[in-house]
Amino acid sequence: MCLLQNASFIISANHLNELPEDEGLEIAFAGRSNAGKSSAINTLSRQNRLAYVSKQPGRTQLINFFSINDGKSLVDLPGYGFAKVPSAIKAHWQKTLPVYLQERKSLIGLIIVVDIRRSLTELDMKMLDWFAPRQRPIHLLLTKSDKLSRDKALRTLREVKNQVEASWGIPFKTPCSAQLFSSLKKQGIKDAEDIIQKWLSSDKNNIPNPMPKP
Ligand code: GDP
Protein backbone atom coordinates (compact mmCIF):
# COMPACT_ATOMS: atom_id res chain seq x y z
CA MET A 1 0.00 0.00 0.00
CA CYS A 2 1.26 3.47 -0.76
CA LEU A 3 2.35 5.71 2.07
CA LEU A 4 -0.17 8.50 1.58
CA GLN A 5 -3.15 6.33 0.70
CA ASN A 6 -4.75 6.78 4.12
CA ALA A 7 -4.12 10.51 4.28
CA SER A 8 -7.15 12.35 5.57
CA PHE A 9 -7.97 16.01 6.11
CA ILE A 10 -7.59 17.24 9.70
CA ILE A 11 -7.75 21.02 9.88
CA SER A 12 -7.22 24.32 8.08
CA ALA A 13 -5.29 27.11 9.75
CA ASN A 14 -5.17 30.78 8.97
CA HIS A 15 -2.90 31.75 11.86
CA LEU A 16 0.02 30.00 13.49
CA ASN A 17 -1.85 29.65 16.77
CA GLU A 18 -4.46 27.55 14.94
CA LEU A 19 -1.93 24.92 13.89
CA PRO A 20 -2.07 21.47 15.50
CA GLU A 21 0.37 20.85 18.37
CA ASP A 22 3.96 21.11 17.19
CA GLU A 23 4.81 17.43 17.69
CA GLY A 24 5.27 14.47 15.40
CA LEU A 25 6.67 14.75 11.90
CA GLU A 26 5.33 16.76 9.00
CA ILE A 27 6.20 17.39 5.38
CA ALA A 28 4.97 20.53 3.68
CA PHE A 29 4.09 21.03 0.01
CA ALA A 30 4.57 24.52 -1.38
CA GLY A 31 4.18 25.92 -4.88
CA ARG A 32 2.82 28.66 -7.08
CA SER A 33 -0.90 28.58 -7.73
CA ASN A 34 -1.54 26.41 -10.75
CA ALA A 35 1.87 24.72 -10.51
CA GLY A 36 0.11 21.36 -10.07
CA LYS A 37 0.44 21.00 -6.29
CA SER A 38 -3.10 19.67 -5.65
CA SER A 39 -2.79 17.24 -8.56
CA ALA A 40 0.55 16.01 -7.20
CA ILE A 41 -0.88 15.49 -3.69
CA ASN A 42 -3.86 13.63 -5.15
CA THR A 43 -1.63 11.51 -7.37
CA LEU A 44 0.70 10.60 -4.51
CA SER A 45 -2.20 9.72 -2.22
CA ARG A 46 -4.08 7.84 -4.98
CA GLN A 47 -7.10 9.93 -4.04
CA ASN A 48 -8.98 12.08 -6.49
CA ARG A 49 -10.27 14.65 -4.09
CA LEU A 50 -7.89 14.82 -1.16
CA ALA A 51 -6.23 18.13 -2.01
CA TYR A 52 -9.49 19.33 -3.52
CA VAL A 53 -10.39 20.17 0.04
CA SER A 54 -7.70 22.84 -0.13
CA LYS A 55 -9.37 24.35 -3.17
CA GLN A 56 -12.77 24.84 -1.63
CA PRO A 57 -13.69 28.50 -1.46
CA GLY A 58 -12.24 29.93 1.72
CA ARG A 59 -9.66 27.21 2.13
CA THR A 60 -7.42 28.06 -0.81
CA GLN A 61 -5.46 30.58 1.19
CA LEU A 62 -5.05 28.47 4.31
CA ILE A 63 -2.57 25.96 5.66
CA ASN A 64 -4.31 22.59 5.28
CA PHE A 65 -3.25 19.62 7.39
CA PHE A 66 -3.70 15.98 6.42
CA SER A 67 -2.95 13.12 8.76
CA ILE A 68 -0.90 10.29 7.23
CA ASN A 69 -0.60 8.00 10.28
CA ASP A 70 1.01 7.77 13.64
CA GLY A 71 1.71 11.47 14.28
CA LYS A 72 2.85 12.03 10.68
CA SER A 73 1.25 14.73 8.59
CA LEU A 74 1.25 16.24 5.16
CA VAL A 75 0.80 20.01 5.05
CA ASP A 76 -0.55 21.82 2.01
CA LEU A 77 0.65 25.44 2.14
CA PRO A 78 -1.28 28.24 0.42
CA GLY A 79 -0.39 28.55 -3.26
CA TYR A 80 1.45 31.78 -4.01
CA GLY A 81 1.76 34.12 -6.96
CA PHE A 82 -1.93 34.29 -7.86
CA ALA A 83 -2.57 37.84 -9.04
CA LYS A 84 -6.19 37.96 -7.86
CA VAL A 85 -5.43 37.36 -4.18
CA PRO A 86 -6.14 40.59 -2.24
CA SER A 87 -2.98 42.35 -1.09
CA ALA A 88 -3.93 42.09 2.61
CA ILE A 89 -4.01 38.29 2.30
CA LYS A 90 -0.70 38.27 0.43
CA ALA A 91 0.83 40.40 3.18
CA HIS A 92 -0.55 38.06 5.84
CA TRP A 93 1.14 35.02 4.28
CA GLN A 94 4.36 36.93 3.62
CA LYS A 95 4.56 37.37 7.39
CA THR A 96 3.20 33.98 8.44
CA LEU A 97 4.90 31.52 6.08
CA PRO A 98 8.49 32.43 6.98
CA VAL A 99 7.70 31.93 10.67
CA TYR A 100 6.12 28.53 9.96
CA LEU A 101 9.04 27.45 7.76
CA GLN A 102 11.70 28.70 10.14
CA GLU A 103 10.27 27.70 13.50
CA ARG A 104 7.96 24.73 13.17
CA LYS A 105 9.82 21.90 14.93
CA SER A 106 7.72 19.11 13.39
CA LEU A 107 8.50 20.29 9.86
CA ILE A 108 11.19 17.88 8.69
CA GLY A 109 11.19 18.51 4.95
CA LEU A 110 9.81 20.78 2.25
CA ILE A 111 8.57 19.72 -1.18
CA ILE A 112 8.32 22.56 -3.67
CA VAL A 113 6.10 21.83 -6.64
CA VAL A 114 7.33 23.67 -9.71
CA ASP A 115 5.72 23.83 -13.15
CA ILE A 116 8.63 22.64 -15.27
CA ARG A 117 7.80 25.14 -18.01
CA ARG A 118 8.25 28.10 -15.62
CA SER A 119 11.28 26.68 -13.82
CA LEU A 120 12.07 28.22 -10.41
CA THR A 121 10.39 31.58 -9.88
CA GLU A 122 11.25 34.38 -7.50
CA LEU A 123 8.56 33.23 -5.05
CA ASP A 124 9.90 29.64 -5.06
CA MET A 125 13.30 31.13 -4.24
CA LYS A 126 11.77 32.96 -1.31
CA MET A 127 10.48 29.68 0.13
CA LEU A 128 13.98 28.27 -0.25
CA ASP A 129 15.49 31.33 1.39
CA TRP A 130 13.23 30.89 4.39
CA PHE A 131 13.62 27.14 4.81
CA ALA A 132 17.10 26.24 3.55
CA PRO A 133 19.06 27.74 6.47
CA ARG A 134 17.51 25.08 8.71
CA GLN A 135 19.55 22.46 6.83
CA ARG A 136 16.57 20.17 6.56
CA PRO A 137 15.95 18.52 3.20
CA ILE A 138 14.21 20.13 0.26
CA HIS A 139 12.83 18.22 -2.72
CA LEU A 140 11.79 19.90 -5.96
CA LEU A 141 8.99 18.21 -7.84
CA LEU A 142 9.21 19.44 -11.43
CA THR A 143 5.72 18.64 -12.46
CA LYS A 144 3.87 18.75 -15.81
CA SER A 145 7.03 17.21 -17.25
CA ASP A 146 4.80 15.58 -19.88
CA LYS A 147 4.57 19.05 -21.44
CA LEU A 148 8.25 19.03 -22.48
CA SER A 149 10.31 16.66 -24.58
CA ARG A 150 12.39 14.22 -22.53
CA ASP A 151 15.60 16.05 -23.50
CA LYS A 152 14.28 19.46 -22.57
CA ALA A 153 12.84 18.12 -19.29
CA LEU A 154 16.17 16.56 -18.29
CA ARG A 155 18.04 19.76 -19.19
CA THR A 156 15.67 21.81 -17.03
CA LEU A 157 16.11 19.33 -14.17
CA ARG A 158 19.91 19.77 -14.31
CA GLU A 159 19.65 23.56 -14.48
CA VAL A 160 17.30 23.77 -11.53
CA LYS A 161 19.46 21.45 -9.41
CA ASN A 162 22.56 23.51 -10.20
CA GLN A 163 20.76 26.73 -9.40
CA VAL A 164 19.63 25.51 -5.99
CA GLU A 165 22.93 23.90 -5.09
CA ALA A 166 24.81 27.07 -6.01
CA SER A 167 22.58 29.18 -3.78
CA TRP A 168 21.76 26.97 -0.83
CA GLY A 169 23.46 23.58 -1.05
CA ILE A 170 27.02 24.48 -0.32
CA PRO A 171 26.76 27.48 2.01
CA PHE A 172 24.03 25.96 4.16
CA LYS A 173 24.72 22.24 3.59
CA THR A 174 21.02 21.87 2.83
CA PRO A 175 20.27 18.50 1.25
CA CYS A 176 18.41 19.29 -1.94
CA SER A 177 17.08 16.85 -4.50
CA ALA A 178 14.92 17.26 -7.59
CA GLN A 179 12.98 15.02 -9.95
CA LEU A 180 10.65 15.03 -12.93
CA PHE A 181 6.99 14.38 -12.18
CA SER A 182 3.74 14.16 -14.10
CA SER A 183 0.34 13.74 -12.51
CA LEU A 184 -1.16 13.34 -15.95
CA LYS A 185 1.12 10.49 -17.00
CA LYS A 186 1.60 9.17 -13.45
CA GLN A 187 5.36 9.52 -13.75
CA GLY A 188 7.82 9.97 -10.89
CA ILE A 189 5.50 8.61 -8.20
CA LYS A 190 7.93 6.00 -6.87
CA ASP A 191 10.82 8.49 -6.64
CA ALA A 192 8.68 10.99 -4.73
CA GLU A 193 7.34 8.29 -2.41
CA ASP A 194 10.87 7.08 -1.66
CA ILE A 195 11.85 10.59 -0.59
CA ILE A 196 8.76 11.03 1.60
CA GLN A 197 9.26 7.59 3.15
CA LYS A 198 12.92 8.34 3.88
CA TRP A 199 12.07 11.66 5.54
CA LEU A 200 9.25 10.24 7.61
CA SER A 201 11.37 7.40 8.90
CA SER A 202 14.13 9.76 9.98
CA ASP A 203 15.08 9.92 13.61
CA LYS A 204 13.70 13.18 14.93
CA ASN A 205 16.60 13.47 17.38
CA ASN A 206 19.02 13.82 14.48
CA ILE A 207 17.10 16.60 12.76
CA PRO A 208 18.69 20.03 13.10
CA ASN A 209 16.83 22.36 15.45
CA PRO A 210 14.98 25.46 14.32
CA MET A 211 17.18 28.51 13.94
CA PRO A 212 17.54 30.54 17.09
CA LYS A 213 15.52 33.73 17.08
CA PRO A 214 17.65 36.81 16.36
P1 GDP B 1 -2.38 23.94 -7.96
O1 GDP B 1 -3.04 25.28 -8.07
O2 GDP B 1 -0.89 24.08 -7.82
O3 GDP B 1 -2.95 23.06 -6.90
O4 GDP B 1 -2.57 23.23 -9.38
P2 GDP B 1 -3.58 22.07 -9.84
O5 GDP B 1 -3.16 20.76 -9.32
O6 GDP B 1 -4.98 22.50 -9.61
O7 GDP B 1 -3.27 22.07 -11.41
C1 GDP B 1 -3.41 23.24 -12.22
C2 GDP B 1 -3.70 22.81 -13.65
O8 GDP B 1 -2.60 22.06 -14.18
C3 GDP B 1 -4.93 21.90 -13.78
O9 GDP B 1 -5.59 22.23 -14.97
C4 GDP B 1 -4.31 20.50 -13.87
O10 GDP B 1 -5.12 19.59 -14.59
C5 GDP B 1 -3.03 20.77 -14.62
N1 GDP B 1 -1.97 19.79 -14.25
C6 GDP B 1 -1.57 19.46 -13.01
N2 GDP B 1 -0.58 18.54 -13.05
C7 GDP B 1 -0.36 18.26 -14.36
C8 GDP B 1 0.57 17.39 -15.04
O11 GDP B 1 1.37 16.67 -14.47
N3 GDP B 1 0.52 17.43 -16.42
C9 GDP B 1 -0.35 18.23 -17.11
N4 GDP B 1 -0.29 18.20 -18.44
N5 GDP B 1 -1.22 19.06 -16.48
C10 GDP B 1 -1.24 19.08 -15.13
Side-chain angles (χ1 to χ4, degrees), residues 42-148:
N42 286 340
T43 299
L44 289 169
S45 61
R46 319 289 199 275
Q47 298 185 37
N48 289 334
R49 295 173 64 83
L50 185 69
Y52 179 74
V53 78
S54 312
K55 295 223 152 197
Q56 285 171 3
R59 285 215 177 122
T60 322
Q61 286 292 318
L62 295 172
I63 300 181
N64 291 297
F65 274 77
F66 301 89
S67 157
I68 303 173
N69 62 32
D70 207 11
K72 295 171 181 167
S73 311
L74 182 163
V75 182
D76 188 7
L77 299 177
Y80 39 81
F82 185 50
K84 284 189 185 148
V85 172
S87 53
I89 294 184
K90 277 188 197 155
H92 166 66
W93 289 113
Q94 284 248 340
K95 264 198 340 227
T96 306
L97 279 181
V99 180
Y100 170 77
L101 291 169
Q102 288 164 3
E103 295 185 7
R104 181 86 174 164
K105 294 190 203 72
S106 314
L107 179 61
I108 52 162
L110 177 66
I111 295 185
I112 305 187
V113 179
V114 176
D115 181 334
I116 194 163
R117 295 165 305 171
R118 299 185 71 127
S119 199
L120 279 178
T121 65
E122 207 180 308
L123 293 168
D124 297 320
M125 303 284 206
K126 243 185 195 173
M127 303 296 287
L128 285 161
D129 273 341
W130 288 330
F131 187 68
R134 292 185 71 179
Q135 302 181 354
R136 295 183 180 188
I138 293 168
H139 187 62
L140 302 169
L141 214 54
L142 300 190
T143 195
K144 307 195 192 181
S145 62
D146 56 278
K147 298 252 190 196
L148 296 185

Side-chain angles (χ1 to χ4, degrees), residues 4-49:
L4 302 181
Q5 198 160 317
N6 287 332
S8 59
F9 175 71
I10 325 176
I11 200 172
S12 297
N14 189 30
H15 297 282
L16 295 174
N17 62 8
E18 296 165 2
L19 298 180
E21 279 299 306
D22 192 359
E23 54 194 22
L25 300 174
E26 65 200 39
I27 292 181
F29 280 69
R32 283 186 75 91
S33 298
N34 213 42
K37 178 161 58 73
S38 309
S39 305
I41 292 173
N42 286 340
T43 299
L44 289 169
S45 61
R46 319 289 199 275
Q47 298 185 37
N48 289 334
R49 295 173 64 83

